[in-house]
Amino acid sequence: MKKLMRGYFFLALVAGMIILVDQYTKYYVRSHLAIGEIWAPWGWLLPYVRIVHWYNTGVAFGMFQGMGNIFMIVSLAVAAAIIYYYPKVDTGEWLLRLAMGMQLGGALGNLIDRITIGHVTDFISVGTFAVFNVADSAISVGVVVLLLWAWQSERKKPAATVSASMAELLPVDDGQPTSSKTSSPFQEDEEKV
């Protein structure tokens, strides 16, 4: 049991922190702003970044509205897949583990909203971009981290392949005595001269 707990510690830590921040910020917005109400610390900031109390019955960034029940099932499936595959990931693959933790935290953060209030609370508004929340951000950044991990893994592969190819070209010392006379393509030319 201790080994299992230790194996999931990093995942639980990352996902737990995201869920706590996500749920607290959503609760704070719901408690202090009416639906549609906008707030910014300075008036000049309003055209660029603002807090707006909004809700979403679809997925991240307002897509697929009204399909909340389907995405509840999808969120559960994603969370189950991450929890299942996480222990199979090598402990040295910290970028992949971080990406999985971020995506799990984001999926569960929005799932909690769907289960408890029937929709997802969104509140971060940047420019003309769709309103989003901490969970959406965690999922998106988690995908970027996942892509970074994949890119980094691909960069390591050619180096390993080149090293293996170079090893094939190098002579292997099998412990057998070798002739002191070596043959060279230039040797025949030297003997003719």
Side-chain angles (χ1 to χ4, degrees):
M1 185 66 165
K2 270 188 176 180
K3 185 178 178 184
L4 182 67
M5 295 288 282
R6 207 174 321 127
Y8 281 105
F9 178 76
F10 185 71
L11 180 70
L13 180 68
V14 173
M17 287 173 45
I18 289 167
I19 292 167
L20 285 173
V21 172
D22 178 64
Q23 289 300 301
Y24 177 76
T25 53
K26 288 173 178 176
Y27 167 78
Y28 193 84
V29 166
R30 286 192 301 261
S31 300
H32 291 84
L33 295 176
I35 292 281
E37 188 177 350
I38 298 171
W39 176 84
W42 305 282
W44 60 266
L45 200 57
L46 277 170
Y48 311 106
V49 180
R50 62 215 151 265
I51 302 297
V52 58
H53 183 180
W54 203 247
Y55 69 91
N56 179 359
T57 59
V59 292
F61 312 116
M63 297 184 293
F64 307 110
Q65 291 297 308
M67 299 175 71
N69 289 338
I70 292 170
F71 293 112
M72 192 181 307
I73 295 166
V74 170
S75 295
L76 284 169
V78 167
I82 290 171
I83 291 167
Y84 176 77
Y85 284 108
Y86 186 81
K88 299 176 186 316
V89 175
D90 183 64
T91 55
E93 299 289 355
W94 67 272
L95 273 178
L96 178 56
R97 288 176 161 248
L98 177 64
M100 293 173 85
M102 294 179 81
Q103 292 169 350
L104 179 63
L108 292 179
N110 283 338
L111 180 63
I112 291 168
D113 277 15
R114 290 184 202 287
I115 291 170
T116 58
I117 59 176
H119 60 265
V120 175
T121 301
D122 288 333
F123 61 91
I124 303 169
S125 180
V126 179
T128 58
F129 194 71
V131 183
F132 58 98
N133 59 43
V134 173
D136 296 338
S137 300
I139 292 169
S140 299
V141 173
V143 168
V144 171
V145 172
L146 182 64
L147 292 173
L148 180 63
W149 168 80
W151 175 74
Q152 187 181 44
S153 296
E154 284 301 313
R155 283 192 49 168
K156 288 179 185 176
K157 280 184 184 178
T161 306
V162 169
S163 297
S165 299
M166 292 300 286
E168 291 172 5
L169 296 175
L170 296 174
V172 177
D173 183 13
D174 58 2
Q176 299 294 321
T178 57
S179 164
S180 60
K181 186 174 181 181
T182 59
S183 83
S184 161
F186 302 109
Q187 196 169 15
E188 291 175 10
D189 292 337
E190 291 172 0
E191 290 173 359
K192 289 179 185 176
V193 176

